[in-house]
Amino acid sequence: MTRHAITAADAGYLLCHCCHLLCRPQPGSIHPRCPRCGAVLHRRKPDSLARTWALTLTAYILYIPANLLPIMTVTMSGRGEPDTIISGVKELIVGGMWPLALLVFFASIVVPVLKLLVMTFLLLSVQFGSHWRPWERTVLYRLTESIGRWSMIDVFVITILVAVVELGALATIEAGPGAVAFGGVVVVTMFAAMSFDPRLIWDRMALKYGKISSHSSPEGAYRMQR
Amino acid sequence: MAVRSIENEYAVAEHERVACHDCDLLFRKPRLQPGQKARCPRCGAVLFQRKGGGLDQSLALAFTSLILFMLANAYPLLRMNIAGRVQEGSLLTGIEELNSQGYWEISALVFVVTFLAPLAKLLCLFYVLLPLRLFGLRAPKAVLVFRWTEQLSPWAMTEVFMLGILVAVVKLADLAALAPGIALYSFAGLMVSMAAGDAVLDDHEVWERLEAAGD
Ligand SMILES: [Zn+2]
């Protein structure tokens, strides 16, 4: 290892994305695998930008039917109206259930929209080699990755309602095509977050400032926490 | 530096160093006391964490979760009463009903994230941890199975499902008289025991033990 090499990639190492073992591939190996867990090693996630773009754009397209089409139809005594995601939230507000309305609003509307915007922002910033606040962008990425699954709440609500309410003429609940599109948005954005490689943010930093000298090398200087 | 060429001839492992998975910064591997965390000074990612639970706690929680999982799926979630007619429903009847309404896509999605993924995760954990704890042995293909376990984790959504139940209960409370079923309490317990299992399981430790163990 040279004195100036500070990232694993610079030092000729590949970090196993699965078991986090640091590996050094033999020269000339084409598809090196992690000697501990057997996962294929990559310097960076393969085609990270292209894949993440494709998945993010797919999610944008799915997002339109997810919000316009009904996610379910509740029929009580012969009368029924289709519910979209937004009308479901409105119904909770009308019923005076503010905390739940807020929860559903946040999980079904705020989180997917924010996630799409954040992914787009991260992609553009990496694409244009931005040096703006890499630390904040990495934190933003970690947040986006961990919060996405909570959008699934509405899909689960539909499943439970459909399971319990099946009373023939009295009341029925039917799922709607919007639910399929919405489930698609959640899954596709989860895949998008997984395929994005936050190390690309830092690779772009290194291009501008060069390698950090060994003088300021933080090797061994972790922040310990209890 | 250990060289293990049995499994493949391409890579050698470096056990003294570690790199940040979020920004690729290279470090000397920290020596941590149980309960300590090491964070990357450049991007703030958690590099290493000694959870200090040991395999016993992980196994006990996985066993608890498995029992609660069976209860949660064998019994009805809610019992509903509209004008004298009683209706019960469980998670699996919901999945079936979605399918029979023609929405097999959501039906399959819900089946995977609330049933298949949590169950597979628990069974995989047992398969890997039990022989390791009892005999210090690596079960056949244990390395591959533990890799799946790690990759399954984001798709097991028990805790999100629990919130879904909460919202559904409130929505239904308007329509009819509701009584919670055994499965509802089991799901609540399952959410807690699976979260505790995640908090206790030290995957770095498991990988190191798997590497040290014989077949
Ligand atoms: Zn870092």
Side-chain angles (χ1 to χ4, degrees), chain B residues 105-207:
Chain B
E105 302 96 334
I106 350 173
S107 168
L109 175 65
V110 175
F111 180 69
V112 168
V113 299
T114 57
F115 189 89
L116 206 59
L119 178 64
K121 190 178 158 181
L122 291 174
L123 292 179
C124 286
L125 270 182
F126 262 115
Y127 183 79
V128 173
L129 297 185
L130 209 58
L132 207 56
R133 170 66 186 85
L134 291 182
F135 314 109
L137 281 180
R138 194 166 52 195
K141 302 271 178 204
V143 163
L144 191 64
V145 173
F146 196 58
R147 223 167 83 199
W148 292 339
T149 320
E150 302 261 272
Q151 277 160 4
L152 266 175
S153 282
W155 301 102
M157 301 193 188
T158 310
E159 75 282 30
V160 185
F161 185 66
M162 196 57 215
L163 265 189
I165 297 177
L166 182 72
V167 177
V169 166
V170 173
K171 284 197 165 192
L172 284 172
D174 269 8
L175 295 180
L178 280 179
I182 296 173
L184 193 74
Y185 300 112
S186 308
F187 262 114
L190 181 62
M191 178 184 79
V192 174
S193 69
M194 286 196 73
D198 283 343
V200 160
L201 183 74
D202 192 332
D203 51 342
H204 286 289
E205 192 195 329
V206 176
W207 279 120

Side-chain angles (χ1 to χ4, degrees), chain A residues 61-111:
Chain A
I61 295 166
L62 280 172
Y63 190 72
I64 299 165
N67 279 280
L68 293 182
L69 297 177
I71 51 166
M72 63 176 167
T73 308
V74 183
T75 315
M76 284 289 285
S77 325
R79 297 185 314 115
E81 257 179 57
D83 256 340
T84 58
I85 292 173
I86 295 164
S87 74
V89 175
K90 272 189 204 153
E91 207 179 284
L92 282 172
I93 297 176
V94 171
M97 284 160 293
W98 276 101
L100 273 200
L102 217 62
L103 172 79
V104 176
F105 178 71
F106 198 75
S108 314
I109 296 168
V110 176
V111 168

Side-chain angles (χ1 to χ4, degrees), chain A residues 5 19 42 51 55 60 82 113 128 130 160 181 221:
Chain A
C19 76
H42 301 286
R51 282 184 200 204
L55 289 162
Y60 271 115
V113 170
F128 290 111
S130 164
I160 298 156

Side-chain angles (χ1 to χ4, degrees), chain A residues 111-188:
Chain A
V111 168
V113 170
L114 271 186
K115 214 177 152 179
L116 284 175
L117 294 179
V118 166
M119 287 317 294
T120 312
F121 164 69
L122 289 176
L123 282 165
L124 286 173
S125 78
V126 169
Q127 199 95 58
F128 290 111
S130 164
H131 296 106
W132 184 79
R133 302 196 173 208
W135 189 86
E136 282 83 349
R137 277 187 287 149
T138 314
V139 172
L140 208 56
Y141 167 71
R142 279 200 288 270
L143 268 174
T144 323
E145 199 191 21
S146 59
I147 209 171
R149 42 202 257 118
W150 291 94
S151 304
M152 211 60 115
I153 289 180
D154 252 6
V155 175
F156 295 151
V157 172
I158 297 162
T159 311
I160 298 156
L161 294 186
V162 159
V164 179
V165 185
E166 207 192 323
L167 291 170
L170 281 171
T172 53
I173 294 187
E174 262 193 273
V180 181
F182 186 73
V185 171
V186 180
V187 171
V188 170

